[in-house]
Amino acid sequence: MLLTSSLECEPISTADLQVPDGTALLRSIAQIRTYRREQEIYCQEQKSEGWYCVVSGVVRKYHLKQDGRRQIVDFHLPGDFFGVTCRAYHQFGVQAITDETVTAFYARQKLENLMGSDAAAARQVRQKCVEAIERLEQQMLVMGTMSAPEKVRAFLIYFHGRVAKFGDDGSLTLPISRYDIADMLGISAETVCRAFTELRIRGDISLEGPRHVRMVRGAAETY
Amino acid sequence: MLLTSSLECEPISTADLQVPDGTALLRSIAQIRTYRREQEIYCQEQKSEGWYCVVSGVVRKYHLKQDGRRQIVDFHLPGDFFGVTCRAYHQFGVQAITDETVTAFYARQKLENLMGSDAAAARQVRQKCVEAIERLEQQMLVMGTMSAPEKVRAFLIYFHGRVAKFGDDGSLTLPISRYDIADMLGISAETVCRAFTELRIRGDISLEGPRHVRMVRGAAETY
DNA sequence: CGCCCAATTGAACTGCATCAAGATTCGTGG
DNA sequence: CCACGAATCTTGATGCAGTTCAATTGGGCG
């Protein structure tokens, strides 16, 4: 099932869509692919054939262990590159979280060639790599030094910061479940719930439905 | 004290040293710097002026919180780039762990210019970034899904894999303390000790002195 | 409207942190 | 070369945060 899923996506003309921030040359080698909710973009242990960039929607990069535990290592939003590896096989799988998730795929050799000749494209990819490194390092801090409620608060601030490019009032609609949050933070879903409750009682957030959080200004600003 | 430390390093002619895997052009813009054990290469909140590459020795990248807790986000070995950021200020500090730690420093603008014109240099930096991403993602897995003894075992395998490029017998001399390991894994130093003891009793490792570990073949190979 | 999955809350258990006390190791100087 | 002192490392005892198992509620979608 997992292995066939990537065949189900529909190719779309690249002219239809804009890869966010993408240079014209990057766009010229992109294959646009669309995915449904929960659909596998590629799965772990699968052969790595190139890189991807999120055009729209949200994806999760994750690893499944034999014992069934899942670790989400990153969420990717429009403009993020993923599938970035120099190995032959993927260490992580990637799934679409939202319906109508669109990615641009760049065959590895084409992208390498392009970056060899086009410094602007190379610079952009490098920039995205650096951002990913900083995001992961920040996440290490969260994982290593925070209590469960602090982790959840940090996650909400992080996610809010990534999603809301526009100036806004602190409200946030989560495209992801408590289980996703739990597997990202390395805690149980029950503990995530309790943390939400605690943050609500403390006045850091208010909840209008489980997926609709409002960050209270002042209480939830600082890390 | 911290802020002055980087002034104490002695400049050395670049001709004296080889940056591992470095291209000639990369070397041409490098400033070589030497540090003592525990010396600060740069500290968190300090202005970011460029990138570094470890030439010899070992460094730790870490963050100190107000409450005194320390998170080590990565160790860097010869050939690794660090200080990689697009922000104006460092989020993490970096210290030499071993005496005679040598780094190559690349002023940000010089490096950007070089990468703009030299695709090979750009490719190498990109490659190093990808490796860092994969290392961090792997570490997320460790932090999120493992018990304390598993974390320590994973750390030893990881560190052994990074240090021992040559074929060897599983023995490993740790340049780092139990406290470093604890702050990397997000557990207490006492728990690290107990994990060492447990791994020794289980037969996964043998200890010839606290800093000299031998990985028992078969028992400690797989993640 | 009703079903089903997601979210929440409760209760008991457990792994790890914390505090405290020794034991080793290593560097330094006599 | 040995003795001393100061880290570093190790082990023990206790408490608590978070897991696990279980039950209930709630929201979203057919």
Side-chain angles (χ1 to χ4, degrees):
Chain A
M1 189 271 275
L2 296 178
L3 281 166
T4 60
S5 60
S6 62
L7 300 174
E8 298 164 18
C9 61
E10 319 148 17
I12 298 181
S13 157
T14 57
D16 297 353
L17 286 158
Q18 284 266 347
V19 179
D21 309 319
T23 67
L25 276 169
L26 264 179
R27 273 200 298 281
S28 72
I29 63 165
Q31 293 173 36
I32 299 299
R33 299 175 177 176
T34 311
Y35 302 89
R36 291 187 307 277
R37 186 169 165 275
E38 302 295 301
Q39 194 179 349
E40 208 82 12
I41 296 173
Y42 59 78
C43 56
Q44 70 192 51
E45 318 298 341
Q46 187 174 325
K47 205 163 178 183
S48 157
E49 289 166 346
W51 291 15
Y52 295 80
C53 182
V54 180
V55 176
S56 70
V58 186
V59 308
R60 62 178 155 239
K61 184 187 287 180
Y62 70 99
H63 183 90
L64 275 181
K65 297 176 66 170
Q66 297 83 335
D67 61 11
R69 292 180 63 96
R70 180 182 67 158
Q71 177 69 40
I72 293 177
V73 294
D74 214 350
F75 293 105
H76 290 295
L77 298 172
D80 290 348
F81 280 84
F82 64 91
V84 172
T85 184
C86 40
R87 303 185 197 184
Y89 292 89
H90 287 296
Q91 161 89 333
F92 300 94
V94 175
Q95 296 172 324
I97 294 182
T98 59
D99 271 330
E100 289 297 308
T101 292
V102 180
T103 66
F105 172 77
Y106 310 91
R108 189 202 294 250
Q109 199 52 56
K110 272 190 190 168
L111 184 59
E112 284 289 343
N113 291 344
L114 176 60
M115 288 190 295
S117 60
D118 177 15
R123 187 176 195 290
Q124 191 196 341
V125 170
R126 190 167 63 243
Q127 166 87 10
K128 288 294 176 184
C129 286
V130 169
E131 286 173 17
I133 289 173
E134 302 202 317
R135 220 163 45 235
L136 287 164
E137 287 176 340
Q138 183 63 42
Q139 185 59 13
M140 296 272 305
L141 253 168
V142 171
M143 302 278 287
T145 66
M146 288 187 184
S147 68
E150 286 173 328
K151 281 182 182 176
V152 171
R153 200 175 74 100
F155 172 81
L156 290 173
I157 294 169
Y158 152 83
F159 203 79
H160 182 260
R162 293 207 72 199
V163 163
K165 308 279 185 189
F166 38 91
D168 72 61
D169 61 344
S171 82
L172 172 64
T173 301
L174 294 171
I176 57 182
S177 72
R178 300 286 188 264
Y179 290 91
D180 286 327
I181 298 174
D183 287 347
M184 170 118 202
L185 298 174
I187 58 183
S188 70
E190 292 91 332
T191 300
V192 173
C193 278
R194 285 182 244 271
F196 265 93
T197 305
E198 189 178 323
L199 292 173
R200 187 167 48 74
I201 291 172
R202 282 220 326 240
D204 282 3
I205 61 171
S206 68
L207 290 172
E208 297 143 30
R211 298 291 185 99
H212 192 219
V213 188
R214 183 180 295 269
M215 322 281 293
V216 175
R217 194 157 274 283
E221 297 296 305
T222 53
Y223 265 98
Chain B
M1 189 273 274
L2 297 178
L3 282 165
T4 61
S5 60
S6 63
L7 300 173
E8 298 165 18
C9 62
E10 319 150 18
I12 298 183
S13 157
T14 56
D16 297 353
L17 287 157
Q18 284 265 346
V19 179
D21 309 318
T23 66
L25 276 169
L26 264 179
R27 273 201 298 280
S28 73
I29 63 166
Q31 292 174 38
I32 299 298
R33 299 176 178 176
T34 311
Y35 302 88
R36 291 187 309 276
R37 186 168 165 277
E38 302 296 302
Q39 194 178 350
E40 207 82 13
I41 296 172
Y42 60 78
C43 56
Q44 72 192 49
E45 318 299 341
Q46 187 174 325
K47 205 163 178 184
S48 158
E49 289 167 346
W51 291 16
Y52 296 79
C53 181
V54 180
V55 176
S56 70
V58 185
V59 309
R60 62 179 156 239
K61 184 188 287 181
Y62 69 99
H63 183 91
L64 275 181
K65 296 176 66 171
Q66 296 83 336
D67 61 11
R69 292 178 63 95
R70 179 182 68 160
Q71 177 68 39
I72 293 176
V73 294
D74 214 351
F75 293 105
H76 290 296
L77 298 172
D80 290 346
F81 280 84
F82 63 92
V84 172
T85 184
C86 40
R87 302 186 198 186
Y89 292 88
H90 287 295
Q91 160 89 332
F92 300 94
V94 175
Q95 297 173 322
I97 293 182
T98 59
D99 270 330
E100 289 297 306
T101 292
V102 180
T103 66
F105 172 77
Y106 309 92
R108 189 201 295 247
Q109 200 51 56
K110 273 190 189 168
L111 184 58
E112 285 290 342
N113 292 344
L114 176 60
M115 288 190 295
S117 60
D118 177 16
R123 187 176 195 292
Q124 191 196 339
V125 170
R126 191 168 61 242
Q127 164 89 9
K128 288 294 176 183
C129 286
V130 169
E131 285 173 19
I133 289 173
E134 302 201 316
R135 220 163 46 235
L136 287 164
E137 287 177 339
Q138 182 63 42
Q139 184 60 13
M140 296 271 305
L141 250 166
V142 171
M143 302 280 286
T145 66
M146 289 186 183
S147 69
E150 285 174 328
K151 282 181 181 176
V152 171
R153 201 176 74 101
F155 172 81
L156 290 174
I157 293 169
Y158 152 83
F159 203 79
H160 182 259
R162 294 207 70 200
V163 164
K165 308 280 184 188
F166 37 90
D168 71 61
D169 60 343
S171 82
L172 171 65
T173 301
L174 294 170
I176 58 182
S177 72
R178 300 287 188 263
Y179 291 90
D180 286 327
I181 298 173
D183 287 346
M184 169 118 201
L185 298 175
I187 58 183
S188 70
E190 292 91 332
T191 300
V192 173
C193 278
R194 284 183 245 272
F196 266 94
T197 305
E198 190 178 320
L199 292 172
R200 186 167 48 74
I201 291 172
R202 282 220 324 242
D204 282 2
I205 61 172
S206 67
L207 290 171
E208 297 143 29
R211 298 290 185 101
H212 191 221
V213 187
R214 182 179 297 269
M215 321 281 293
V216 175
R217 194 158 276 282
E221 297 297 304
T222 52
Y223 264 99

